[in-house]
Amino acid sequence: MKEKQHDGLIEEKRLFFPPSEFSLKAVIKNHDIHELGQNEIKFWEEQGKRLHWFKPWDKVLEWNHPFAKWYVGGKLNAAYNCLDRHLEGARRNKAAFVFEGELGDRRVLTYQDLHREVSQFANVLKSYGVQKGDRVTIYMPMIPEAVIAMLACARIGAPHCVVFGGFSAEALRDRVQDAQAKVVVTSDGSFRRGKTIPLKDGVDQALQNVTCVKKVIVVQRTGQHVEMQEDRDVWYHEVIKNASIICPAEPMDANDMLFILYTSGTTGKPKGVVHTVGGYMVGVSTTHEWVFDLKEEDVYWCTADIGWITGHSYLVYGPLANGATVFMYEGAPDYPEKDRYWEIIENYRVSILYTAPTAIRTFMKWGESYPSGRDLSSLRLLGSVGEPINPEAWMWYYKYIGGERCPIVDTWWQTETGMIMMAPVPGITPLKPGSCTRPFPGICIDIIDHEGNIVPKGEGGYLVVRKPWPAMLKTVYGDDKRYEDTYWNQFKGVYFTGDEAKWDEDSYFWVIGRVDDVINVSGHRIGTAEVESALVDHSLVAEAACVGRTHEVKGQAVFAFVSLKEGVVIGDKLIDELKAHVVLKIGSIARPDDIFLTAELPKTRSGKIMRRLLKDIAEGRAMGDTSTLSDASVINFLQKNIHTQK
Ligand code: PRX
């Protein structure tokens, strides 16, 4: 299946040139921009100048493999760059955020408004003893206060750790504890498809027996009842009321931590990816301007949740550093109707839309009558992120959303890369549906075989980054060794992305997907080991193995093979109970679509589970080499019964 998928991709020969009107007005018209980027140090030195520095840097890069320091000696503040410097000119009263809640409530925050509330909240944090270097966990819905909390942390130099609001209390606890957060910012709940979903209750559960958290600050969003623990919990609206609006931005070293963001890897324990102020801010502001061709008058909408890296880099830091007007939406795309996104675009005259292939495939399934009933003529550029976009979805997006006039920027990057690494520069790069085209200027990417040799054009292999880049992760929080081993020790001297890709004769890249034990479900990374440990945690489960299987809308879905403990009687509700257990342990994004019960899992003679074979079974395709199996009858059983159980 995988083989077929990329063969199909590379056969895609359609080319889409940027419309001449677009190119004429584009931010980047310069066709030799990629050549300029070949001297990457000079290139990034030049881009560093787009920020405001309290003190200029002494050296662009100090590379002590695999530890990088960018803009060494420089001092700056991310919140200052996102807010204060826009207050001097015409942007003071420009909308920074235009927010719409699921129920239709609206709020516009100008740069001045945002600056004021961020400063106030920064003072609130300080009043609770939060100092430079202290970690603050943010567990919030998509509301302006989430962004305010992030920027307030950045302002005082307290690294934030945003945890996606859909994660369970247990997942939250792991992340709070790993970061040793001092404060948690949350809300009573959030709105989703007209219902209220509790968040504060999750925080209460997560913090049982956790001693590091001294304060919980609660935003009132839904008005639902919550228990407020005396001495620990306070209401946001009460504590911010009298806070001073003056809070000078802390001068941060370029290599001080800006945030930690947890992501899934190949082990059960999520990794705390560490990003630092200087390099990250240069990387995200440059790519945001160039890839999205950002103009002063644009209304830019990124549909990602702030709980993911896309929300950090392209909803908050990149756009605000560039003084953009950002649209933010709280709720579901099908509430109250399936045209909610298109209604938003019509109402707010959104000009740039950045979303994920899984959303596009969902819209395709709903049909084009929803977008065609709305005026989408304000759109001029479309973006895609999170997973490979299949040419069919690309074409649908191009035709029905972009009216065949908007270039599509397919952006390849990762939590770890912090910034977009491969994407078209829309005024100059011809597009091929399904390809993220070429590396961004100043980024050096290769495809290599298992021995580290660069593969010829037309072939595929492992996707690696050859040279450090400004927004790269600087380490895994508290675990330099894991950082080295995971990213830099797999292939000598280069950063391994975990992805497989092909390149064609024009040097266009076609990313195929993960080659490690990470599943990409609707553009979200789920570690198979995490789901397996959640299943094994259930009292009836002896062993579990998970793989990703191709899914029409989600890209991939979790398929779990489970063997139960001796003597367990299989009840009607067992499968549902196991799925619910995974939701309880991780969150609904990790819920397996399929659970298959089996007495045994296929293992090698040395006892290693043969995931490759399980994947073949889950995908319903011909089995690969089975000669190393310890007991071939296991496979016969699985193959025979897979359809009857599903
Ligand atoms: O497999 C790649 C896929 O998403 C992974 C990174 O996931 P995460 O860290 O959660 O960040 C997602 C948002 C940046 C990558 O290793 N991926 C991301 N973007 C693309 C993609 N695969 C193909 N094409 C893309 N545009």
Side-chain angles (χ1 to χ4, degrees), residues 261-264 273 308-311 314 354 357 384-389 409-420 422 434-436 463 495 497-500 510-516 518 520 523-526:
L261 184 61
Y262 288 87
T263 189
S264 297
V273 168
W308 311 112
I309 192 69
T310 309
Y314 298 107
Y354 191 29
S384 171
V385 61
E387 48 175 321
I389 178 163
V409 290
D410 175 4
T411 61
W412 178 89
W413 59 294
Q414 309 178 296
T415 306
E416 293 87 340
T417 69
M419 61 187 259
I420 292 170
M422 293 199 279
S435 166
C436 58
L463 191 68
Y495 167 91
T497 61
D499 278 359
E500 179 188 20
W510 304 78
V511 176
I512 295 152
R514 305 286 307 191
V515 283
D516 52 8
V518 170
N520 191 332
H524 301 316
R525 265 161 75 166
I526 317 274

Side-chain angles (χ1 to χ4, degrees), residues 23-42:
S23 295
L24 282 171
K25 293 192 207 140
V27 171
I28 301 297
K29 303 183 184 70
N30 186 352
H31 278 264
D32 61 9
I33 198 77
H34 286 280
E35 282 67 48
L36 285 179
Q38 271 169 9
N39 184 340
E40 69 284 345
I41 298 295
K42 204 156 161 264

